[in-house]
């Protein structure tokens, strides 16, 4: 079983997965990091040179390669749940945790981060809410478990994931 963490930009997916990796000793991978290493260029550069379609293709390939393993912690980018084929792969190969946060929290965390090209045009709490609502259905479809991160530390969120997936593991 893999533990897979998805959710909107700025919900803390990468930080939570790193802490989870430390807590469990399990191997931990960030899909965006993997894509950047394979491509030899940054995500903004991939978006600029290959468009979002090019990035999404790389994202599905990276996910497939990483999910060939078992017993890993995986954090995906904010758009990884948008493709049905990704959702199907994730559900087949693990438990999917969707982290959430309010648009205000997300704006505070990443609103001015220029390394997130898909926030362009939405860099306000109102804009973030709009983009989030547009993606909500995809996140709902992907999530086995939703975890609100507002007002929680990274350690608290990681502990919640462990509690839930520990229980799920017992039922397998
Ligand atoms: C994206 C989110 C990013 C990254 C890419 C696209 C999105 O990941 O995958 O910029 O469309 O939501 P983070 O959620 O880690 O920012």
């Amino acid at each position: 079983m893999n533990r897979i963490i998805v959710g909107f930009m700025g919900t803390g997916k990468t930080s939570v997965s790193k802490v989870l990796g430390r807590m469990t000793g399990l191997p931990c991978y960030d899909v965006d990091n993997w894509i950047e290493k394979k491509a030899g260029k940054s995500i903004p550069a991939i978006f600029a040179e290959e468009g979002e379609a090019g990035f999404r293709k790389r994202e599905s390939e990276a996910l497939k390669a990483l999910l060939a393993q078992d017993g890993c912690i995986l954090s995906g980018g904010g758009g990884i749940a948008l493709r049905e084929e990704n959702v199907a792969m994730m559900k087949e190969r693990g438990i999917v945790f969707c982290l959430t946060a309010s648009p205000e929290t997300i704006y505070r965390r990443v609103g001015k981060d220029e390394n997130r090209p898909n926030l362009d045009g939405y860099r306000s709490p109102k804009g973030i809410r709009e983009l989030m609502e547009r993606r909500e259905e995809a996140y709902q479809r992907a999530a086995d478990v939703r975890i609100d991160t507002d007002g929680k530390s990274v350690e608290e969120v990681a502990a919640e994931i462990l509690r839930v997936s520990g229980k799920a593991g017992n039922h397998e």
Side-chain angles (χ1 to χ4, degrees):
M1 180 203 50
N2 295 295
R3 293 177 177 87
I4 306 158
I5 307 177
V6 304
F8 199 83
M9 291 169 267
T11 49
K13 303 177 293 289
T14 307
S15 316
V16 167
S17 71
K18 276 188 192 152
V19 168
L20 256 182
R22 274 206 301 276
M23 285 165 94
T24 58
L26 293 172
C28 175
Y29 300 94
D30 181 68
V31 176
D32 284 344
N33 254 333
W34 176 274
I35 295 170
E36 286 183 322
K37 271 199 202 122
K38 281 257 167 194
K41 52 189 172 185
S42 70
I43 288 175
I46 297 172
F47 268 73
E49 291 165 25
E50 304 171 21
E52 178 160 355
F55 174 76
R56 295 293 171 215
K57 186 164 173 282
R58 287 182 179 275
E59 188 175 50
S60 294
E61 286 164 3
L63 185 64
K64 189 171 176 198
L66 288 168
L67 283 177
Q69 308 176 80
D70 209 9
C72 295
I73 294 160
L74 227 79
S75 53
I80 205 160
L82 299 178
R83 271 193 174 188
E84 293 232 359
E85 62 173 279
N86 295 350
V87 174
M89 267 194 278
M90 292 191 288
K91 284 190 163 294
E92 193 186 316
R93 300 287 304 150
I95 304 185
V96 183
F97 294 88
C98 181
L99 306 189
T100 64
S102 68
E104 290 73 21
T105 300
I106 287 173
Y107 178 69
R108 193 164 24 83
R109 289 180 186 160
V110 299
K112 300 201 171 90
D113 184 342
E114 289 180 1
N115 290 318
R116 290 178 161 93
N118 272 354
L119 271 185
D120 290 345
Y122 299 96
R123 294 183 187 274
S124 66
K126 189 167 169 274
I128 288 170
R129 181 180 301 278
E130 187 190 324
L131 187 54
M132 207 184 247
E133 281 171 1
R134 208 175 300 157
R135 291 179 167 194
E136 178 54 27
E137 205 185 312
Y139 292 135
Q140 282 207 4
R141 254 202 320 271
D144 292 312
V145 183
R146 282 171 80 98
I147 299 181
D148 182 18
T149 65
D150 267 318
K152 290 179 195 159
S153 69
V154 169
E155 287 74 17
E156 283 171 323
V157 177
E160 213 168 315
I161 290 179
L162 266 191
R163 228 171 21 244
V164 175
S165 50
K167 274 187 210 146
N170 291 339
H171 292 302
E172 277 175 358

